[in-house]
Amino acid sequence: MNINSSNIMALAPNTSNKRETVCIFGTGDFGRALGHKMIQSGYPVVYGSRSTQISNLIPKEAEVLSHAEAAQKAAVIIIAIQRQHYNFLTPLAEILHGKVVVDISNNLKLNQYPESNAEYLAQLLPGAKVVKAFNTVSAWALQSGALDASRQVFVCGDDVEAKQMVMNIVRALGLTPLDQGSLLAAQGIENYPLQLFPMWKFPFFLSLGLTAFFFFYCLALDVIYTYIYERNNFSFFIAFTIPNRICPVMALILLALVYLPGVLAAIIQLYRGTKYRRFPDWLDKWMLCRKQLGLIALAFASLHAVFTLASPMRSFVRWRTSKGIISQALNNKTEPLDTTNAWISDSYLALGILGFFFFVLVGITSLPSVSNSVNWREFRFVQSKLGYLTLILCTAHTLLYGGKWFLSPSAYRWYLPNIYMLSLVVPCTVLVVKFVLIFPCIDKPLTQIRQGWERNPKYSE
Amino acid sequence: MNINSSNIMALAPNTSNKRETVCIFGTGDFGRALGHKMIQSGYPVVYGSRSTQISNLIPKEAEVLSHAEAAQKAAVIIIAIQRQHYNFLTPLAEILHGKVVVDISNNLKLNQYPESNAEYLAQLLPGAKVVKAFNTVSAWALQSGALDASRQVFVCGDDVEAKQMVMNIVRALGLTPLDQGSLLAAQGIENYPLQLFPMWKFPFFLSLGLTAFFFFYCLALDVIYTYIYERNNFSFFIAFTIPNRICPVMALILLALVYLPGVLAAIIQLYRGTKYRRFPDWLDKWMLCRKQLGLIALAFASLHAVFTLASPMRSFVRWRTSKGIISQALNNKTEPLDTTNAWISDSYLALGILGFFFFVLVGITSLPSVSNSVNWREFRFVQSKLGYLTLILCTAHTLLYGGKWFLSPSAYRWYLPNIYMLSLVVPCTVLVVKFVLIFPCIDKPLTQIRQGWERNPKYSE
Amino acid sequence: MNINSSNIMALAPNTSNKRETVCIFGTGDFGRALGHKMIQSGYPVVYGSRSTQISNLIPKEAEVLSHAEAAQKAAVIIIAIQRQHYNFLTPLAEILHGKVVVDISNNLKLNQYPESNAEYLAQLLPGAKVVKAFNTVSAWALQSGALDASRQVFVCGDDVEAKQMVMNIVRALGLTPLDQGSLLAAQGIENYPLQLFPMWKFPFFLSLGLTAFFFFYCLALDVIYTYIYERNNFSFFIAFTIPNRICPVMALILLALVYLPGVLAAIIQLYRGTKYRRFPDWLDKWMLCRKQLGLIALAFASLHAVFTLASPMRSFVRWRTSKGIISQALNNKTEPLDTTNAWISDSYLALGILGFFFFVLVGITSLPSVSNSVNWREFRFVQSKLGYLTLILCTAHTLLYGGKWFLSPSAYRWYLPNIYMLSLVVPCTVLVVKFVLIFPCIDKPLTQIRQGWERNPKYSE
């Protein structure tokens, strides 16, 4: 809940007028919203506009002048105009000489122009100190005060003092400036608001591909096979049974893929005998998207949990249960309790529940505010130790689910293994290799390498 | 986990003494806690007090002097005294002339006095530079270092430099200052800590009213009707069945109410042919509480999910199940599997699970720390696209739940529809209108209007 | 998602060169990572190194010089070298005189040396302004830009200006500096990254001890007793039934322990007639770990919820259910619906669900980002009012679970009560005492005491 959201903000000119005047070129949505917010924060605001006829949407406390007049009144000029109209600024180059000119523009596409808007502006106004800022904030967020979205404002520019001035304004508006370096960073900053989860792209498409593969695999084995050989129409498996088979399989595989790159990196470091060489590019990229892989795995695990808990309500399951009970009743016999079976069923469920519990715990610590409040050692403990515990529990859960079916020929329809068997390949590999890596005779040199020791020193200081 | 919470903070006077002395008037709880914290951060602290007899609760590193002496030693004076005693400051007006005087007081009621405490203080001390700050921080939080609650400190004042000095102190204490403008904002800042979820008030009472209505509606149809016409005492439905009928209905209606104002706004903009006119007040307010509506809807959906998953454990459900099985067994017949039924039951459950899954996803992104780490486009994508997907899935879930009962006369007790039918009205309307709005012939002018185009330009620059 | 994580950061020397040069001693992992990040943020970087032979891992934009030459070029020198090699700095003492020397070192153990590394450095270089910083940030986090872990940088030092310079650098790197006072705080700051959840230690071991006790208690009563007296092998209860008995008991007891210290504090204050005396040490510590106790209680409650929801899937439960139904079917009779039973079963479930719901709500508000966005009054409302509501609901849930078994002798195997009865002792005590405390005749003096009133004033100002 933000204090502004309840409209208690005093919209009043600053009585002591110590804050320097800010000029805004352009009276469009964003220019107006920014002006409002600045006046609230005690800045006198002057608008530079083609016509000085005042729209009733412009804050009353602001002056509206011609561009040239307005620019002369302020040290900081904010250009709230689209890039295609920048050339109108060329005649003003002299007035803007030495002033701080803030480019707040955004593009419609990634890398729309060869150079960033801010760099283009700096070319048009060689004497001005161009700073890129504010492009990640929306007019709506500024207006409503309901800053639900990000408060981060990326700032870059070649002149350190000009940047500092802009960052002070950003702070005064209740936003968080992040210095991104020289104006070369402007391209990146302009691309930033156009990005749509760039780090999630690879994990998402990997999951999509695997899900599609497992769906058709299950469709063949569970629906088509049954239809051909047993004449049973189990097409409704598509709605519930198959999703609930795919989800745990995906969760386990993706979780194992989170820990596989770490194991591979250790092997590479051991083989090379040094940590001072870059990993292959694919491994670096893989390591950077581990968090996303893990969160998608958690999503699949959650779906699996809810699907499983909901299954007793399915009409098919209820039908199967009552069929079993009725056939026992009609045969006048009650099966005795099979203790082994009870053990397997109970441990299988308990392992799954515990695995899911630790998975959720690891997931919660990856929330930005939680990971911000733990130190590095604590973060590593949760993400690595608890993560491996989760992997062990989930793998054991799947192994117990399989139970004795691994050796039963009837589990291999069309000589193909069931998908839960496929899902065990990666996690078992990771766990076995990790188990080997923690043997002292291997762990010791690895720790030394990670502390900077080299087998064949070449790159040392 | 804050570093302070483990008491590792060195409580020592700053050896180089470069930080300016701060004076605190009043040795009450908050004055002491603030003094402690300031000494920890390297500020020399002087207390101004009526008696200079030192309580053992005052930090040992601090001096205790008379008010006049203490004030002379410092440029910043913090008034940790209740408003009703402010008049004792009048004789000190001369000494406080030109100094930064910080008002940290709070009231017991909203708008208790005609003017804010800080403005009253500024009237009493016309020469002093009054700054409002620290009133949102609790003494307990400062003392324990366990800053579980907010670290935000709202600061306002007419003198920019004075405000800057106070904001630097706030930062040095590990808190986050937020500049709120001139002293006119003090009223709002003083009201802030007295507020109790002001943005939640309307959504909460709306939910309460609707819940009460649906409760009595269900009570009439499910308990009283059954009792009168079928002589069955189903009063225990009040404890479980009726809540689990109300929750999904409330979740669906509130979720639809989140997306209804957006659709209405689009219609209004299309009708007016411009976006440069303010929406009616009720629509603006409605749009600002969409997040709260959505979160309450999510709460109802979560309750519905847990209630539903728990239902197989109910004694009534177990009794009904065994009754059904026994009657089949006694009649010596087993019902065959009804594939259509299995399809409906499975899709109904799967849609509900998926809807809930996406709902939780949207809910997670509305956590402040998550929404802070995505850009505007990503935030919109999740809140709008995934939100609509949730609405579609939940509406389909409810439609399938109804199944063929919509046309069955026995579903209409006392000629009244079941509540799940009522719950479908708003979401179906929203979805139909939204579907119409995305037709190119309507979407195109709407997009133009939102980019600033006007059918009858009047307000343009 | 951080902007850096997508590698869009422009790695370019700052063209206007207004940022002051920073010198880094040591070209190890952390020195290189820090140098990279600084160059990105526009700082010219000079490395001081034993050999000036340049490793290809050092950023190309940085100069590499001898220690003395490098130190002369900059006002800020960062010592990225381990403590045991600090003595090589002694000859450089003259060059480093008056410069800002930043100690970024960490130890391998808590309190490894009598004095902190930063204080040791200050002794070696008496003329330098030593500042402790950056030790909580990992090289990996700096390198990858994926600042998943904390962005907080604790800074301390005796010279305020030097500290300010370092804090500006920290801010420029996109990190959050937290001023921790004088150099005496260095010991704490150096211990911080070595801590592993210090606040969680006591709650964790308390839970572990209680869990172990209840496990053996249940083992004796549920498995061993049954085996001895009824010859039933219920050993598989260890996997599911016993955990699901322990979890709710632990959740309820720990939740009550969260509210017990508040009640004790009130009694102590009432007895003493003043709030101006410190609570006993154990009570203070207990109050500081209430959040952790509550979160562990929530973890147990969540496990209980999932275990309970999963129980219909257990092979034992299914066997018991079908046995019951078959015996009814064979006896040709159907039991009628027991309305009282239905009421108890339904209310019991509903209370548990509502209790869990409010528990989760309270848990969500203790997420740092959520508690940061509410004011103190709202935080107290959720943590206190909703917390008590949760306690009442969960206690009622357990009481109803017991139902009429409290008075049945068969519930007392070996004359011992069932564990759910044990679990009720603490919460019932807390609720009864709290109920007494809110009586006006007791609440009024308590409120007065909390507002500063004293029965026997001794400590007043």
Side-chain angles (χ1 to χ4, degrees):
Chain A
M1 186 138 321
N2 188 274
I3 193 174
N4 303 338
S5 55
S6 16
N7 265 320
I8 61 167
M9 171 69 77
L11 186 68
N14 191 303
T15 52
S16 65
N17 255 347
K18 287 216 176 153
R19 284 226 154 116
E20 66 225 349
T21 304
V22 173
C23 166
I24 300 175
F25 277 12
T27 54
D29 267 17
F30 197 79
R32 289 199 309 270
L34 204 57
H36 257 291
K37 192 83 189 161
M38 284 182 161
I39 290 166
Q40 286 180 336
S41 308
Y43 287 97
V45 170
V46 195
Y47 280 98
S49 170
R50 269 170 294 159
S51 79
T52 54
Q53 208 188 324
I54 300 167
S55 147
N56 62 351
L57 290 156
I58 290 181
K60 283 170 202 66
E61 298 81 1
E63 251 181 302
V64 182
L65 303 170
S66 76
H67 288 120
E69 287 171 317
Q72 268 161 338
K73 287 217 168 185
V76 175
I77 291 102
I78 294 171
I79 311 294
I81 285 167
Q82 283 174 313
R83 176 191 168 118
Q84 51 266 40
H85 307 125
Y86 275 7
N87 40 8
F88 94 94
L89 291 166
T90 331
L92 298 166
E94 208 161 305
I95 297 167
L96 295 174
H97 190 92
K99 305 234 170 189
V100 179
V101 176
V102 186
D103 183 297
I104 61 167
S105 62
N106 268 322
N107 294 324
L108 295 172
K109 275 183 285 181
L110 285 171
N111 301 314
Q112 197 174 359
Y113 298 100
E115 81 283 76
S116 69
N117 300 353
E119 287 166 301
Y120 173 61
L121 186 62
Q123 285 165 24
L124 287 177
L125 307 169
K129 296 165 188 169
V130 174
V131 174
K132 179 88 208 175
F134 287 114
N135 70 313
T136 53
V137 182
S138 83
W140 154 256
L142 276 176
Q143 250 164 345
S144 67
L147 287 166
D148 289 331
S150 180
R151 285 158 180 269
Q152 291 181 340
V153 172
F154 299 109
V155 178
C156 79
D158 286 340
D159 188 283
V160 173
E161 267 169 40
K163 203 153 57 175
Q164 212 59 49
M165 281 171 74
V166 175
M167 286 169 80
N168 284 337
I169 295 175
V170 171
R171 266 189 217 106
L173 303 191
L175 304 164
T176 314
L178 279 179
D179 190 341
Q180 297 294 310
S182 76
L183 210 57
L184 285 172
Q187 187 89 31
I189 296 177
E190 284 170 15
N191 282 340
Y192 177 73
L194 298 167
Q195 286 171 354
L196 196 60
F197 298 111
M199 302 295 291
W200 290 84
K201 222 154 256 175
F202 172 70
F204 177 78
F205 285 111
L206 176 71
S207 316
L208 207 70
L210 280 173
T211 305
F213 167 73
F214 286 126
F215 177 77
F216 290 112
Y217 195 97
C218 281
L219 194 70
L221 292 199
D222 292 330
V223 177
I224 298 173
Y225 182 96
T226 326
Y227 190 74
I228 294 176
Y229 292 94
E230 302 169 12
R231 288 283 146 202
N232 279 323
N233 178 8
F234 282 163
S235 61
F236 60 89
F237 273 22
I238 292 169
F240 199 103
T241 309
I242 294 181
N244 196 22
R245 271 196 198 149
I246 295 171
C247 284
V249 161
M250 287 301 298
L252 190 58
I253 292 179
L254 290 177
L255 182 61
L257 289 181
V258 170
Y259 292 97
L260 188 52
V263 163
L264 289 178
I267 293 173
I268 290 175
Q269 286 181 337
L270 269 177
Y271 173 77
R272 287 179 177 170
T274 176
K275 70 162 179 177
Y276 294 115
R277 269 167 67 195
R278 292 229 161 78
F279 290 125
D281 224 39
W282 54 268
L283 190 56
D284 260 345
K285 274 189 192 145
W286 190 350
M287 287 180 112
L288 279 175
C289 69
R290 283 183 294 181
K291 181 178 167 180
Q292 283 74 22
L293 282 172
L295 287 176
I296 293 179
L298 179 55
F300 277 113
S302 311
L303 277 175
H304 169 52
V306 182
F307 267 112
T308 307
L309 292 177
S311 59
M313 261 165 297
R314 294 174 64 198
S315 128
F316 170 67
V317 169
R318 279 181 294 167
W319 169 81
R320 203 177 49 188
T321 309
S322 46
K323 204 179 119 190
I325 294 173
I326 291 165
S327 79
Q328 282 184 51
L330 295 182
N331 295 332
N332 253 342
K333 62 159 190 163
T334 10
E335 281 170 14
L337 175 65
D338 179 349
T339 318
T340 322
N341 223 11
W343 257 108
I344 291 177
S345 140
D346 279 9
S347 340
Y348 150 68
L349 287 170
L351 283 170
I353 292 169
L354 283 177
F356 182 59
F357 172 77
F358 284 111
F359 209 162
V360 170
L361 215 65
V362 174
I364 288 173
T365 58
S366 72
L367 281 173
S369 67
V370 177
S371 60
N372 251 321
S373 63
V374 297
N375 69 33
W376 183 246
R377 193 179 162 213
E378 293 163 345
F379 185 72
R380 291 272 311 157
F381 173 81
V382 172
Q383 297 285 327
S384 172
K385 296 278 156 60
L386 289 193
Y388 264 109
L389 181 60
T390 306
L391 187 58
I392 291 169
L393 287 169
C394 292
T395 310
H397 168 72
T398 313
L399 282 168
L400 268 183
Y401 169 78
K404 46 196 170 187
W405 285 93
F406 284 105
L407 299 173
S408 148
S410 70
Y412 298 88
R413 289 168 175 174
W414 281 330
Y415 307 105
L416 289 171
N418 208 310
I419 58 165
Y420 72 83
M421 302 178 189
L422 294 181
S423 77
L424 283 164
V425 176
V426 195
C428 287
T429 313
V430 170
L431 287 178
V432 166
V433 177
K434 181 73 188 175
F435 183 69
V436 171
L437 285 174
I438 57 173
F439 269 94
C441 59
I442 296 179
D443 185 47
K444 222 176 132 188
L446 188 60
T447 309
Q448 286 177 332
I449 287 168
R450 287 188 174 161
Q451 285 170 354
W453 176 83
E454 289 182 272
R455 209 185 293 133
N456 313 302
K458 274 191 294 201
Y459 296 92
S460 69
E461 199 193 340
Chain B
M1 186 136 325
N2 187 274
I3 193 175
N4 302 338
S5 55
S6 16
N7 265 320
I8 61 167
M9 171 67 76
L11 186 69
N14 190 304
T15 53
S16 64
N17 256 348
K18 288 215 178 154
R19 285 227 154 116
E20 66 226 349
T21 302
V22 173
C23 166
I24 300 174
F25 277 12
T27 55
D29 268 18
F30 197 79
R32 291 199 307 271
L34 203 59
H36 257 293
K37 193 81 190 164
M38 285 184 161
I39 289 166
Q40 287 180 337
S41 308
Y43 286 96
V45 170
V46 195
Y47 280 97
S49 171
R50 270 171 293 158
S51 80
T52 54
Q53 211 188 321
I54 299 167
S55 146
N56 62 351
L57 290 156
I58 290 181
K60 283 171 203 64
E61 298 82 0
E63 250 181 301
V64 182
L65 303 170
S66 75
H67 286 119
E69 287 171 317
Q72 267 161 340
K73 287 215 168 185
V76 175
I77 291 101
I78 294 170
I79 310 294
I81 284 168
Q82 282 172 315
R83 178 193 168 116
Q84 53 265 43
H85 306 124
Y86 275 7
N87 39 8
F88 95 93
L89 292 166
T90 331
L92 299 166
E94 207 162 304
I95 297 167
L96 296 174
H97 190 90
K99 305 234 170 188
V100 179
V101 175
V102 186
D103 183 296
I104 62 166
S105 62
N106 269 323
N107 293 324
L108 296 172
K109 275 182 284 181
L110 285 171
N111 301 314
Q112 197 174 356
Y113 298 100
E115 81 285 75
S116 68
N117 300 353
E119 285 166 301
Y120 172 62
L121 187 62
Q123 285 165 24
L124 287 177
L125 306 169
K129 297 165 186 167
V130 174
V131 173
K132 179 88 208 173
F134 288 115
N135 69 314
T136 53
V137 182
S138 83
W140 154 257
L142 277 175
Q143 250 165 346
S144 68
L147 289 165
D148 289 331
S150 179
R151 286 158 180 269
Q152 290 181 343
V153 173
F154 298 109
V155 179
C156 80
D158 287 340
D159 188 283
V160 172
E161 267 168 42
K163 202 153 58 174
Q164 213 59 51
M165 281 171 75
V166 175
M167 286 169 80
N168 284 338
I169 296 175
V170 172
R171 266 188 217 105
L173 303 191
L175 304 164
T176 314
L178 280 179
D179 191 340
Q180 297 293 312
S182 76
L183 210 56
L184 284 173
Q187 186 90 30
I189 296 178
E190 284 170 16
N191 282 339
Y192 177 72
L194 298 168
Q195 286 172 353
L196 195 63
F197 299 112
M199 301 296 290
W200 290 84
K201 222 154 257 176
F202 172 68
F204 177 78
F205 285 110
L206 177 71
S207 316
L208 207 70
L210 280 174
T211 305
F213 167 73
F214 285 127
F215 177 77
F216 290 111
Y217 195 97
C218 281
L219 193 71
L221 292 198
D222 291 331
V223 177
I224 297 172
Y225 182 96
T226 325
Y227 190 73
I228 294 175
Y229 293 94
E230 303 170 12
R231 289 281 146 201
N232 278 324
N233 178 8
F234 282 163
S235 60
F236 60 87
F237 272 22
I238 292 170
F240 199 103
T241 309
I242 293 181
N244 197 22
R245 274 201 195 145
I246 295 172
C247 284
V249 161
M250 287 300 298
L252 190 57
I253 291 180
L254 291 177
L255 182 61
L257 289 182
V258 171
Y259 291 98
L260 187 52
V263 163
L264 290 178
I267 293 174
I268 290 176
Q269 285 180 338
L270 270 177
Y271 173 77
R272 288 179 177 170
T274 176
K275 69 162 177 175
Y276 294 116
R277 269 166 67 195
R278 293 232 160 79
F279 290 124
D281 224 38
W282 54 268
L283 191 57
D284 260 345
K285 274 188 194 146
W286 189 352
M287 287 181 112
L288 280 175
C289 69
R290 283 184 293 181
K291 182 179 168 180
Q292 283 74 22
L293 281 172
L295 288 176
I296 293 179
L298 180 54
F300 277 112
S302 311
L303 277 175
H304 169 52
V306 183
F307 267 110
T308 307
L309 293 177
S311 58
M313 260 165 298
R314 293 174 65 198
S315 129
F316 169 67
V317 170
R318 278 181 296 166
W319 170 80
R320 202 176 52 188
T321 309
S322 44
K323 203 179 118 186
I325 295 174
I326 291 164
S327 79
Q328 281 184 51
L330 294 182
N331 295 333
N332 253 341
K333 64 159 191 164
T334 9
E335 282 171 13
L337 176 64
D338 179 348
T339 318
T340 322
N341 224 10
W343 258 110
I344 291 177
S345 140
D346 279 10
S347 339
Y348 150 67
L349 286 170
L351 284 169
I353 292 169
L354 283 177
F356 183 60
F357 172 77
F358 284 111
F359 207 162
V360 170
L361 215 64
V362 174
I364 288 173
T365 59
S366 73
L367 280 172
S369 67
V370 177
S371 61
N372 250 321
S373 63
V374 298
N375 69 33
W376 183 244
R377 193 180 163 210
E378 293 163 345
F379 186 72
R380 291 272 312 156
F381 174 80
V382 173
Q383 297 286 327
S384 172
K385 296 277 157 62
L386 289 194
Y388 265 109
L389 181 59
T390 305
L391 186 58
I392 292 168
L393 287 169
C394 292
T395 310
H397 168 72
T398 313
L399 282 168
L400 267 183
Y401 169 77
K404 46 197 168 186
W405 285 92
F406 285 106
L407 299 173
S408 149
S410 69
Y412 299 88
R413 289 168 176 174
W414 281 332
Y415 307 105
L416 289 171
N418 209 310
I419 59 165
Y420 72 84
M421 301 178 190
L422 295 180
S423 79
L424 283 164
V425 176
V426 193
C428 287
T429 314
V430 171
L431 288 177
V432 166
V433 177
K434 180 74 188 175
F435 182 70
V436 171
L437 284 174
I438 57 174
F439 270 96
C441 59
I442 295 177
D443 185 48
K444 221 176 136 188
L446 188 60
T447 309
Q448 286 177 331
I449 287 169
R450 286 189 174 160
Q451 284 169 354
W453 176 85
E454 291 180 273
R455 211 185 291 132
N456 313 303
K458 276 192 291 205
Y459 295 91
S460 68
E461 199 192 347
Chain C
M1 182 138 325
N2 188 274
I3 193 175
N4 304 337
S5 56
S6 18
N7 266 320
I8 61 168
M9 171 69 75
L11 187 68
N14 190 305
T15 53
S16 66
N17 256 348
K18 287 216 179 152
R19 284 228 153 115
E20 66 225 350
T21 304
V22 174
C23 165
I24 300 174
F25 278 11
T27 55
D29 268 18
F30 197 80
R32 291 200 307 271
L34 203 58
H36 257 292
K37 192 82 190 162
M38 285 184 160
I39 289 166
Q40 286 180 339
S41 309
Y43 287 96
V45 170
V46 196
Y47 279 97
S49 170
R50 270 170 294 159
S51 79
T52 54
Q53 209 187 322
I54 300 166
S55 148
N56 62 350
L57 289 156
I58 290 180
K60 284 171 202 65
E61 298 82 359
E63 248 181 302
V64 182
L65 303 171
S66 76
H67 288 118
E69 287 171 317
Q72 269 162 340
K73 288 216 168 184
V76 176
I77 292 101
I78 293 170
I79 311 294
I81 284 167
Q82 283 171 313
R83 177 191 168 116
Q84 52 265 40
H85 306 126
Y86 275 7
N87 40 7
F88 95 92
L89 291 166
T90 331
L92 299 167
E94 207 162 305
I95 298 167
L96 296 174
H97 190 91
K99 306 233 169 187
V100 179
V101 175
V102 186
D103 183 297
I104 62 166
S105 62
N106 268 324
N107 294 324
L108 296 172
K109 275 182 285 181
L110 285 172
N111 301 314
Q112 198 174 358
Y113 298 100
E115 80 284 75
S116 68
N117 300 352
E119 286 166 300
Y120 173 62
L121 187 61
Q123 285 164 24
L124 288 177
L125 307 169
K129 296 167 187 166
V130 175
V131 174
K132 178 88 209 175
F134 287 115
N135 69 314
T136 53
V137 181
S138 83
W140 154 256
L142 277 175
Q143 249 166 347
S144 68
L147 287 166
D148 288 331
S150 179
R151 285 159 180 268
Q152 290 182 340
V153 172
F154 298 109
V155 178
C156 80
D158 287 339
D159 188 282
V160 173
E161 267 169 40
K163 204 153 58 173
Q164 214 58 51
M165 282 172 73
V166 175
M167 285 169 82
N168 284 337
I169 296 175
V170 172
R171 264 188 218 105
L173 304 191
L175 303 164
T176 313
L178 280 179
D179 190 339
Q180 296 293 311
S182 76
L183 210 56
L184 285 172
Q187 186 90 28
I189 296 178
E190 284 169 16
N191 282 339
Y192 177 72
L194 299 167
Q195 286 171 354
L196 195 61
F197 298 111
M199 300 296 289
W200 290 84
K201 221 154 260 176
F202 171 69
F204 177 77
F205 285 110
L206 176 73
S207 317
L208 208 69
L210 280 174
T211 306
F213 167 73
F214 285 126
F215 177 76
F216 290 112
Y217 195 96
C218 282
L219 195 70
L221 292 197
D222 292 332
V223 177
I224 297 174
Y225 182 95
T226 326
Y227 191 73
I228 294 174
Y229 292 93
E230 302 170 12
R231 288 283 146 203
N232 278 324
N233 178 8
F234 282 162
S235 62
F236 60 87
F237 272 21
I238 292 169
F240 200 101
T241 309
I242 293 181
N244 197 22
R245 272 196 198 150
I246 295 172
C247 284
V249 162
M250 288 300 298
L252 190 57
I253 292 180
L254 290 177
L255 181 61
L257 289 181
V258 170
Y259 292 97
L260 187 54
V263 163
L264 289 178
I267 293 173
I268 289 175
Q269 286 180 338
L270 269 177
Y271 173 77
R272 287 178 176 171
T274 175
K275 70 163 179 176
Y276 294 115
R277 269 166 68 194
R278 292 231 160 78
F279 290 124
D281 224 39
W282 54 267
L283 190 57
D284 260 346
K285 275 191 190 142
W286 190 351
M287 287 181 111
L288 279 175
C289 70
R290 285 184 292 181
K291 182 179 170 181
Q292 283 74 22
L293 282 171
L295 288 176
I296 294 179
L298 179 55
F300 277 112
S302 312
L303 278 175
H304 169 53
V306 183
F307 267 110
T308 306
L309 293 177
S311 59
M313 261 165 296
R314 293 174 66 197
S315 129
F316 169 68
V317 170
R318 279 181 296 168
W319 169 81
R320 203 177 50 189
T321 309
S322 45
K323 204 179 116 188
I325 295 173
I326 291 164
S327 77
Q328 282 184 51
L330 294 184
N331 294 332
N332 253 344
K333 64 159 190 163
T334 9
E335 283 169 13
L337 176 63
D338 178 349
T339 318
T340 321
N341 222 10
W343 258 108
I344 291 176
S345 141
D346 278 10
S347 338
Y348 150 67
L349 287 169
L351 284 169
I353 292 169
L354 283 177
F356 183 60
F357 172 76
F358 284 111
F359 208 162
V360 170
L361 214 65
V362 174
I364 288 173
T365 58
S366 72
L367 281 172
S369 66
V370 177
S371 59
N372 251 321
S373 63
V374 297
N375 69 33
W376 184 244
R377 192 178 163 211
E378 293 163 345
F379 185 72
R380 291 271 313 158
F381 174 81
V382 173
Q383 297 285 327
S384 172
K385 296 277 157 58
L386 288 194
Y388 265 108
L389 182 59
T390 306
L391 186 58
I392 291 168
L393 288 169
C394 292
T395 309
H397 168 72
T398 313
L399 282 169
L400 267 184
Y401 170 77
K404 47 196 167 186
W405 285 93
F406 284 105
L407 298 172
S408 148
S410 69
Y412 299 87
R413 289 169 175 172
W414 281 332
Y415 306 107
L416 290 171
N418 209 310
I419 58 166
Y420 71 83
M421 301 178 191
L422 293 181
S423 77
L424 283 165
V425 177
V426 194
C428 286
T429 314
V430 171
L431 289 178
V432 166
V433 178
K434 180 74 188 174
F435 182 69
V436 172
L437 285 173
I438 56 174
F439 269 96
C441 58
I442 296 178
D443 186 47
K444 221 176 136 189
L446 189 60
T447 308
Q448 285 176 330
I449 287 168
R450 287 194 173 154
Q451 284 170 355
W453 176 84
E454 289 180 273
R455 209 184 294 131
N456 312 302
K458 274 192 293 204
Y459 296 92
S460 68
E461 198 193 340

